Amino acid sequence: MKARLIYRSINLEALLWLFALTFLAFYSPSTENHFTFCLFNNLGIGFCPGCGLGHSISHLFRFEIYESFTSHPLGIPALLILVYRIVQLTKDQIINNQNKIIPN
């Protein structure tokens, strides 16, 4: 008796996080950018608790630990949390897809 998979999907959240981390892996943190997505910076507010996280993670992919910490001290925990989240979402998706296998 053959089994067939009735539903197969990709977890969108995991895919977006993976895309974001891939972008940061290839992004050069030393280049000067004039555009930012930061709402606080665009409104002229000097302090933003999240600014520097992307640079910090990008430095981590280049094994520049000191530069990563100086860009943002929470870069290492943020990267670990994102990798853990991607793994958990992927694992849950695999388990859900295995539960949806039905016999013909």
Side-chain angles (χ1 to χ4, degrees), residues 67-88:
E67 289 85 356
S68 170
F69 190 77
T70 57
S71 292
H72 200 290
L74 295 177
I76 296 170
L79 178 61
L80 294 174
I81 289 169
L82 289 175
V83 169
Y84 176 77
R85 182 70 178 154
I86 291 169
V87 169
Q88 284 301 110

Side-chain angles (χ1 to χ4, degrees), residues 1-5 101-104:
M1 196 185 293
K2 288 184 178 179
R4 69 182 171 99
L5 189 61
I101 294 177
I102 61 170
N104 276 339

Side-chain angles (χ1 to χ4, degrees), residues 39-61:
L39 178 65
F40 294 110
N41 194 357
N42 288 332
L43 291 175
I45 300 171
F47 173 73
C48 175
C51 281
L53 267 175
H55 283 122
S56 179
I57 292 172
S58 188
H59 281 297
L60 282 174
F61 282 121

